[in-house]
Amino acid sequence: GQQLNQSPQSMFIQEGEDVSMNCTSSSIFNTWLWYKQDPGEGPVLLIALYKAGELTSNGRLTAQFGITRKDSFLNISASIPSDVGIYFCAGVREYGNKLVFGAGTILRVKS
Amino acid sequence: GAGVSQSPRYKVAKRGQDVALRCDPISGHVSLFWYQQALGQGPEFLTYFQNEAQLDKSGLPSDRFFAERPEGSVSTLKIQRTQQEDSAVYLCASSFPTLIRPGNTIYFGEGSWLTVV
């Protein structure tokens, strides 16, 4: 089963609002990744984080790798309708290749 | 091809039937992964290949699941005597280097949607 705790499970927000979601774990991860999955599609990488404390942006998206290496958050600013989808965090342990995924955050946007 | 290609996209199997799911990774990608995604859940790791070598199969749920990558490119995930709990999306992913580091990433296919009736 999932070893990453992702929250919230779902969000229903107004267009233009900012969004924040996070992932926590009891284990240390060396890499944190954030993916978005649209219905009927595979996950698409949004942001990758490789160092503790790293803060990285990709357009309206900002993600941070927690200093303890056990957590990460993703922020989306000024949400738009096409942000709708399921967002997954994923972690990779040291010297590993296997991704461990959270259960996902379902984002719905009211326009 | 430009991305990871999976076939079939959709498969309906009768319980007890064998199925084979194919993955064409991005050309030249050394690493290939299979994940299983149940409805409403995140993907869960099944198995990992580096070239033709299956280095980790710890996620395969039972001995009815078998994966191969004989020539280090195309991979097939086979499920024997399918059961209803096998219904899920099976995702294939590939990456060029063997370790995730800055500049490298894992690319996912669109998945094969298996329904066992």
Side-chain angles (χ1 to χ4, degrees):
Chain A
Q2 256 85 36
Q3 298 168 48
L4 296 182
N5 300 309
Q6 186 170 350
S7 65
Q9 278 189 313
S10 65
M11 306 179 74
F12 193 13
I13 61 165
Q14 192 70 41
E15 182 179 355
E17 284 183 1
D18 296 345
V19 171
S20 185
M21 58 191 79
N22 69 82
C23 251
T24 61
S25 172
S26 56
S27 306
I28 287 174
F29 287 89
N30 253 30
T31 300
W32 284 92
L33 306 166
W34 285 92
Y35 284 87
K36 179 174 183 263
Q37 187 174 28
D38 292 328
E41 304 293 327
V44 174
L45 183 67
L46 299 174
I47 290 183
L49 302 155
Y50 301 99
K51 279 174 54 174
E54 181 180 353
L55 183 72
T56 297
S57 292
N58 177 10
R60 293 177 298 106
L61 277 59
T62 302
Q64 184 154 32
F65 190 145
I67 201 76
T68 64
R69 295 200 283 158
K70 294 182 179 180
D71 63 309
S72 177
F73 72 74
L74 174 71
N75 286 345
I76 306 173
S77 63
S79 57
I80 59 177
S82 62
D83 291 335
V84 163
I86 306 176
Y87 291 79
F88 291 100
C89 61
V92 183
R93 293 206 173 89
E94 191 170 14
Y95 305 120
N97 287 288
K98 179 161 67 172
L99 292 180
V100 177
F101 281 84
T105 295
I106 301 171
L107 179 63
R108 298 184 182 91
V109 179
K110 281 185 287 190
S111 52
Chain B
V4 178
S5 177
Q6 293 187 245
S7 61
R9 283 296 315 276
Y10 304 96
K11 175 72 179 177
V12 179
K14 288 187 179 173
R15 192 171 50 186
Q17 200 176 356
D18 296 349
V19 299
L21 308 175
R22 176 188 167 107
C23 174
D24 271 282
I26 294 172
S27 178
H29 275 196
V30 168
S31 299
L32 186 144
F33 306 81
W34 283 98
Y35 284 80
Q36 180 190 57
Q37 186 175 21
L39 191 64
Q41 298 294 317
E44 293 212 15
F45 172 82
L46 293 177
T47 188
Y48 160 61
F49 289 87
Q50 183 178 322
N51 295 307
E52 68 278 3
Q54 189 174 20
L55 298 185
D56 188 344
K57 53 182 180 179
S58 61
L60 295 176
S62 76
D63 59 8
R64 296 185 297 104
F65 286 71
F66 173 75
E68 59 184 6
R69 193 185 186 198
E71 295 175 2
S73 54
V74 170
S75 177
T76 304
L77 176 67
K78 297 179 179 176
I79 310 172
Q80 296 177 321
R81 304 182 303 281
T82 52
Q83 299 176 7
Q84 283 190 312
E85 61 262 29
D86 299 335
S87 297
V89 179
Y90 290 86
L91 294 164
C92 178
S94 71
S95 70
F96 173 55
T98 56
L99 291 176
I100 294 175
R101 53 184 61 159
N104 308 333
T105 191
I106 291 178
Y107 297 89
F108 281 84
E110 293 179 320
S112 289
W113 295 64
L114 174 64
T115 303
V116 181
V117 297

